[in-house]
Each structure stands twice: as C-alpha cells, then as structure tokens.
Amino acid sequence: MQQRARATRRALLEEAARLFAERGYAGTSVNDISTSSGRTSGSVYFHYASKEGIALAVVKDAFATWPHLGARYADRSVPPLDRLVSLSFEIAHALIEDTVVRAGARLWAERDTIDAPLPDPFTLWTAATTRLLAQARATGHLAHRVRPAIVAPALVRAFFGLCTLTEALEDRRLVAARLADWWHITLPFLQRDTDSTGVLSRAQAQQMVPTMRRIPAAAPVQHSTAIP
C-alpha cells in the first residue's frame, strides 16, 4: 500500500508539473490535475493539502534541490572549471527537457501569485558555483582577479537569464548553443591560462549530462564558430 501511495503521489506531482509548465499556476486548478491524471479530487487532496502544496512540492522536487547533483560534481580528479561548465550544461538541459524542472522554473517566476513561500534555487546554485571557483583558485586554474564570492552570483544570474531569454526570444532548443557561446566569452575572464575551447571539449567528454534522473540522454552540443 505504501508503494502504491508513493507511486500515486509521484504520478500526481508529474501531471501537475506538466500542467503548470504549460499553463502556469493561475491557469491550472486542482480539478484540472484530477481530470488530467485520471484520479479524483479527493485523491489529489489526500496527497497534497492544497494547490499551493502541490506547487511547493514541484519546486522542491528538482528545481530548488537538484538531488544527487552535488556528489557527482565533487570529483576532484576533474578540473573545477570543467565541472562548473558541465554542471551548467546539465542544468540547462534540465530546464529544456525535464517537465518537473521546467514547471519549477515557471512556478518560481510566478511566485508572487502563489500563497506559499517557495525556496530560492539560486542559493544552492550560487553556493555550488562559489565552491567550484574556490577550488579552481586553489588548483591554480582561476585568474587572480576573480573573487569567487563576488563572481559566483553574477554567473548564476547571467546563466539563468541566458536560458530564460533564449527560450522566450528564440527557441529553447538553441539554449545549449547559446550557452557554449556564453562560456567562450566568460571563460577567458575566469581562467588563469585561457583555454575556453579545451574546457568546453573536456566538459562535454565527461558525459555527465545524460545521467541526471528523468532526463533523456543529451545530443552532443553543437558549438557556434562565430566566437573564437
């Protein structure tokens, strides 16, 4: 019974995420989730006390917590900047392909319309970026001018803005290519010895992206050649 309850709860969360991603918070009702999932409203309320509770669960599920991500990017045998770039592509891929992550991003953007405090995902992302930049400094890969605690928040905000605006103004399928171009511009500022092409190539060769849960294997990123 517990296994069945967990499966039902998961199915409801994923169906709610799909609707939130497509319609937004205001455009989705508990009745919509009930009808779309093929379950009764009573079943929805049994597992989630309110629509706000469902939204909070969606945001926490992957967008704000990124389970299992930290351990996989703690491998000290891989240069820190390589891990940072790989992590950015994995998160970008999730923002494009993973329904729960996409819903979490949209719900967070619409947080003022939700009567529940949503966790700030950027605190976790910024901490991870700061840690990787600090490791890059310790290993001699970071330029002396770069201060991890100052640069990390700027990188995270620029990254999220790039993903969001690329989808809004162009096509979400172009996010990976635009991210590669952004790293070609950004890495020379971060690196002690400039080698942006090498970092990008090594990061992709690590093949970290396809292993995130629920996300299908990513196709190789095609880089723009407009930026040397």
Side-chain angles (χ1 to χ4, degrees):
M1 290 297 292
Q2 290 181 348
Q3 185 175 357
R4 181 181 298 178
R6 285 195 295 269
T8 299
R9 183 179 178 86
R10 185 70 207 175
L12 288 171
L13 182 142
E14 292 186 350
E15 188 57 30
R18 185 185 69 80
L19 293 174
F20 286 141
E22 293 177 357
R23 306 178 185 179
Y25 181 76
T28 301
S29 68
V30 171
N31 283 338
D32 292 332
I33 297 169
S34 169
T35 300
S36 183
S37 66
R39 291 174 170 83
T40 65
S41 296
S43 177
V44 177
Y45 283 118
F46 176 81
H47 291 280
Y48 299 98
S50 62
K51 188 173 82 165
E52 291 86 355
I54 302 173
L56 179 60
V58 169
V59 173
K60 285 183 174 180
D61 184 73
F63 181 66
T65 58
W66 297 97
H68 313 303
L69 217 56
R72 293 215 339 271
Y73 285 90
D75 183 1
R76 295 296 185 104
S77 67
V78 179
L81 292 181
D82 293 37
R83 282 181 275 145
L84 178 60
V85 173
S86 293
L87 176 61
S88 75
F89 277 107
E90 179 159 359
I91 293 175
H93 185 75
L95 288 168
I96 297 168
E97 300 294 344
D98 189 300
T99 301
V100 178
V101 175
R102 287 177 55 75
R106 179 162 183 174
L107 289 169
W108 193 86
E110 298 175 357
R111 63 195 178 280
D112 290 341
T113 68
I114 303 173
D115 190 19
L118 301 185
D120 180 358
F122 305 107
T123 300
L124 178 65
W125 297 5
T126 301
T129 302
T130 304
R131 183 167 57 252
L132 288 169
L133 290 177
Q135 291 175 11
R137 165 175 282 184
T139 56
H141 293 98
L142 200 68
H144 293 298
R145 63 178 172 272
V146 177
R147 298 293 180 265
I150 296 174
V151 172
L155 288 178
V156 169
R157 293 168 191 177
F159 162 78
F160 190 71
L162 180 142
C163 293
T164 302
L165 289 177
T166 299
E167 178 173 0
L169 301 177
E170 297 183 283
D171 187 310
R172 63 191 177 101
R173 292 172 295 182
L174 295 175
V175 167
R178 297 293 177 261
L179 182 57
D181 288 342
W182 181 72
W183 276 121
H184 275 298
I185 296 169
T186 306
L187 279 169
F189 168 76
L190 298 176
Q191 291 175 291
R192 183 173 181 178
D193 298 314
T194 302
D195 180 25
S196 60
T197 301
V199 171
L200 283 164
S201 298
R202 290 194 303 273
Q204 291 165 33
Q206 293 299 315
Q207 296 181 347
M208 295 182 181
V209 171
T211 61
M212 184 169 179
R213 64 188 181 88
R214 295 198 313 278
I215 301 176
V221 176
Q222 299 297 318
H223 299 301
S224 168
T225 57
I227 300 174

